[in-house]
Amino acid sequence: MLLSQLGGKEIVNLNDGGRLGIIADSDVMIDENTGKIISLLLPDKRVQFKFFGDKEEIEIPWNSIKKIGDDMIIVEIEDY
């Protein structure tokens, strides 16, 4: 799968069914030596008030991704 094909997919947590965000709003951390994806960084939607320069994120390790479907990505994370 190409990285561009991930765009627009919604990320859902398997543990509680919570919607975490959409790939279009996220950043991808890539290992510069291997070119492999390390994790996804999503803006934390639970934070309502941000100060200038503050960036609250949820980091989803790539190995927490359980399934990539046509419209969504299922992840399994405990600490959200």
Side-chain angles (χ1 to χ4, degrees):
M1 174 177 280
L2 299 174
L3 185 58
S4 62
Q5 293 173 308
L6 292 176
K9 293 184 189 295
E10 185 169 15
I11 301 173
V12 177
N13 189 358
L14 179 65
N15 289 332
D16 63 4
R19 299 169 62 196
L20 301 177
I22 297 176
I23 289 288
D25 298 333
S26 68
D27 290 320
V28 178
M29 289 185 61
I30 298 175
D31 183 322
E32 60 186 48
N33 295 321
T34 64
K36 293 184 179 184
I37 298 174
I38 299 170
S39 62
L40 301 176
L41 297 173
L42 299 173
D44 192 345
K45 301 292 185 187
R46 299 175 298 176
V47 177
Q48 294 189 8
F49 300 104
K50 295 182 187 177
F51 294 104
F52 295 106
D54 286 350
K55 192 172 183 183
E56 300 293 328
E57 298 173 323
I58 304 166
E59 184 171 353
I60 302 172
W62 189 252
N63 62 359
S64 294
I65 295 175
K66 299 303 175 191
K67 180 73 175 173
I68 299 176
D70 292 335
D71 299 322
M72 71 177 58
I73 298 173
I74 307 294
V75 299
E76 187 172 13
I77 55 174
E78 295 288 332
D79 299 330
Y80 178 70

